Amino acid sequence: MNISYQLSNSDFLEYQLYTSSKSELHKKRRFRSRIIIPIIYLLFGLYLANKNDDNGIAIVLAGIAILWFTFYPIYSKWRYKRHFQKHVEENYKNRINKPVEICFDENSVNVKDFTSESKINGTELKEIVETKKHFFIKLTTDLSLIVPKYSIENQTEFKKHVTELGAEYVDELNWEWK
């Protein structure tokens, strides 16, 4: 089975966003930012209200804390996406719209792009993740091959071939960036 395609900015961006959404570090960082900032506003408001005997500032800061807690997920989603868009534009600019070819043998995967050729043993395939628009073939080294679905004629055969090489299938068809 041979697959030829070109990767676009959106392909790399979706991979970065998917990886970020599964990263424990990023999850903790986003959670901490959502919780700690409102707590700081609340504590500062209580301190000022107690010091000045004026509850107005405490109410204003509590309102800001509530707004932050409520709207931070929307802001965080936008900010991370913007960050990864810049990251892709800067770090993958030489790989955008360049031909990639993947050939499957009985025991290995041969990957060829404009700079190199790699032969990957089937035992090095960790999992195949399926999203709405892509397949991400993760290796045991935590590197991944990005394969857009539009480039594959028979997706069922593709999944079967990759899982027969030893990759575990992961269904993420409902995944979306949040």
Side-chain angles (χ1 to χ4, degrees):
M1 171 182 266
N2 294 341
I3 302 169
S4 296
Y5 57 92
Q6 295 179 356
L7 294 172
S8 66
N9 278 357
S10 62
D11 297 324
F12 285 109
L13 177 61
E14 184 163 331
Y15 173 72
Q16 293 293 324
L17 293 174
Y18 175 78
T19 304
S20 175
S21 72
K22 300 301 176 182
S23 166
E24 289 301 318
L25 178 66
H26 287 195
K27 286 180 188 177
K28 287 178 185 177
R29 189 177 293 158
R30 290 176 77 182
F31 179 76
R32 275 187 264 141
S33 294
R34 185 175 188 193
I35 299 298
I36 292 175
I37 301 296
I39 289 173
I40 290 171
Y41 275 116
L42 289 172
L43 291 176
F44 191 60
L46 289 173
Y47 170 75
L48 290 176
N50 191 27
K51 183 177 179 186
N52 298 335
D53 290 328
D54 180 19
N55 291 337
I57 191 75
I59 292 170
V60 169
L61 290 176
I64 292 172
I66 291 168
L67 287 172
W68 178 272
F69 184 81
T70 304
F71 293 108
Y72 180 76
I74 297 167
Y75 168 74
S76 175
K77 175 184 174 180
W78 170 80
R79 182 159 163 79
Y80 270 76
K81 186 172 183 177
R82 193 169 137 233
H83 165 75
F84 285 121
Q85 282 174 328
K86 289 180 180 181
H87 176 78
V88 166
E89 288 170 6
E90 182 178 327
N91 294 301
Y92 296 103
K93 64 185 172 200
N94 296 329
R95 294 177 63 190
I96 303 296
N97 297 324
K98 303 291 185 189
V100 178
E101 187 176 323
I102 299 178
C103 301
F104 291 93
D105 293 338
E106 287 182 27
N107 299 320
S108 64
V109 178
N110 297 310
V111 181
K112 181 180 178 181
D113 64 12
F114 72 103
T115 60
S116 64
E117 287 186 44
S118 301
K119 183 174 183 175
I120 303 166
N121 289 329
T123 57
E124 296 300 310
L125 302 180
K126 184 172 164 182
E127 60 188 22
I128 177 172
V129 177
E130 181 178 9
T131 63
K132 289 177 186 170
K133 297 180 182 177
H134 296 89
F135 287 104
F136 304 128
I137 303 173
K138 291 190 169 194
L139 307 178
T140 55
T141 59
D142 285 335
L143 295 175
S144 294
L145 301 174
I146 304 169
V147 184
K149 283 187 169 180
Y150 68 81
S151 67
I152 303 170
E153 291 178 20
N154 188 340
Q155 294 178 12
T156 306
E157 183 182 327
F158 173 77
K159 289 188 282 191
K160 180 182 175 203
H161 206 79
V162 175
T163 53
E164 285 176 352
L165 287 172
E168 178 184 333
Y169 175 76
V170 178
D171 182 350
E172 290 284 354
L173 290 169
N174 295 327
W175 174 85
E176 61 182 57
W177 175 242
K178 298 178 188 177

